[in-house]
Amino acid sequence: MSQEKIDILTRSLKREKAARKAAEKILEDKSRELYFLSDELKDSNAKLENLLSEKSSELKGVFENILDAYVVIDLFGNVLKFNDAATNMFGYDVEKEKLNVVDLIFYDDIEYAMASFGNLQRDGYFKNYSARVFTKTREVKWVQINATLIYDGKNMPVAAQGIVRDVTQVKLLEEQKEQILKKLEKSNAELYEYAHVVSHDLKSPLRTIDALISWIRSDNMDKFDEDTLQNIDLIETTLENMDKLISNILNYSSADSATEEVEVDLNKVLDNISKTLFIPENIELKIAPNLPTVNGDGTKFQQLFQNLISNAIKFNDKENGLIEIEFTEETTFYQFTVKDNGIGIEKEFHDKIFKVFQSLTKREDSTGIGLSIVKKIVDLYKGTIWLESTPQLGTTFYFTIKK
């Protein structure tokens, strides 16, 4: 072999050795790198396992400590899991006995339950489903359920979960409330009817007595002395007050009866009152312009304002009396004021005056029912009424009416 070939082979061997060493160095570096990555991966896996264990423990704690019943079912309705609250509510131990939700549904609610389960499968959830269920002992309970589907990694539904709340006591209270309201409504109707009957039965003899007294006066005008005529006047005044009292009682009994609501222009209501109500010359009635239009019964609003204005007239002792009606508009209601410069009311009587037959002065023309009717009407329209007053300076009544 020539020297030239030997030199070529030698250079080739050197290059091969150099390449092998370089490859070994790269392999060594990569092996070291892989070793460190493997250690990091082990640490990450260990941390992940700890985290999963921790979260599983937390979820288990949440599952076991939910106060409401928590239920997991498959898509065929078979119960997979109950928490303790569910076990206590239904009486089943689902780890030892098979149970399907159909077994829990009250007979009359099965169709509704199936429709709700269809909504769950279609929408992925349903909210505030209320129905009756059976317990293991066949006790019937009312429950409210909120449920959602459970999906796998491919976003396919695999099960459903729901929170079940026992609302039996709430339902019983609602039923009792409804029964009480029906009885109250019936009693109110009977009372209103009774008030009308009594009103008619009482007013008829009063009118007869009044007519007889009038005839006796006419037939014996020349025979009666002054004292007898005064006594006859007193009888007639008493009969008139009794008639007014009966009318006011009838108005009070019907003040909170609901009627069909219509739009009522309060400008027209107050205009009518100012034209029909007797207002002495020494008293000025000021009514704010552009009063609102409200929903309700026009007759009741007439009673409301007329009673307050009449009350202000009766108890005004000033040479120049003044009654002012104003209003302010709020977001959900109107606030009205009826202000006078009359005799005023002591603070200790502010609550008393709204009670039936509670008149602070013994006046022949006051039955003590007017302000009671006012409060009933304000209550009917879900408003409030109160007053501010200074004795000898005047009184301001405030009340609200919802929009």
Side-chain angles (χ1 to χ4, degrees), residues 40-57:
E40 289 180 8
L41 184 59
K42 286 180 181 179
D43 290 340
S44 296
N45 285 336
K47 290 178 181 178
L48 182 59
E49 287 178 5
N50 290 335
L51 182 62
L52 288 172
S53 176
E54 180 182 335
K55 293 302 179 184
S56 296
S57 178

Side-chain angles (χ1 to χ4, degrees), residues 130-290:
S130 294
R132 289 160 290 185
V133 295
F134 284 119
T135 66
K136 188 174 182 178
T137 59
R138 308 310 285 174
E139 178 186 0
V140 178
K141 291 186 176 183
W142 276 97
V143 295
Q144 185 180 73
I145 306 174
N146 290 287
T148 59
L149 289 178
I150 299 174
Y151 299 90
D152 62 13
K154 297 180 180 179
N155 203 33
M156 295 296 293
V158 293
Q161 60 184 351
I163 300 293
V164 185
R165 175 165 294 181
D166 186 346
V167 293
T168 305
Q169 291 302 317
V170 175
K171 280 288 185 180
L172 290 175
L173 290 174
E174 287 178 351
E175 290 175 359
Q176 290 176 8
K177 179 182 176 182
E178 188 175 347
Q179 290 175 0
I180 291 172
L181 287 175
K182 287 181 178 179
K183 288 181 180 178
L184 183 60
E185 186 178 350
K186 182 180 178 182
S187 297
N188 285 339
E190 290 174 349
L191 179 62
Y192 183 63
E193 183 179 354
Y194 177 73
H196 273 278
V197 172
V198 170
S199 172
H200 179 270
D201 290 348
L202 287 177
K203 282 194 172 189
S204 292
L206 285 179
R207 292 191 183 102
T208 301
I209 294 172
D210 186 56
L212 290 173
I213 292 294
S214 178
W215 294 341
I216 292 173
R217 178 199 290 271
S218 299
D219 294 342
N220 300 276
M221 183 64 69
D222 298 333
K223 300 177 183 179
F224 289 149
D225 58 22
E226 186 175 345
D227 289 339
T228 302
L229 290 174
Q230 287 179 353
N231 288 333
I232 289 177
D233 288 339
L234 183 60
I235 292 173
E236 288 178 334
T237 301
T238 303
L239 290 172
E240 183 180 346
N241 288 337
M242 289 181 68
D243 184 80
K244 186 184 298 182
L245 178 60
I246 292 169
S247 296
N248 284 342
I249 291 173
L250 182 60
N251 289 335
Y252 179 77
S253 69
S254 62
D256 59 354
S257 59
T259 56
E260 184 179 356
E261 291 193 352
V262 296
E263 289 189 345
V264 179
D265 185 347
L266 294 182
N267 296 285
K268 294 181 179 179
V269 170
L270 269 297
D271 182 61
N272 183 57
I273 291 174
S274 64
K275 291 177 179 177
T276 57
L277 186 66
F278 173 71
I279 302 175
E281 292 182 359
N282 69 309
I283 293 179
E284 180 184 3
L285 177 60
K286 285 186 176 181
I287 301 173
N290 301 319

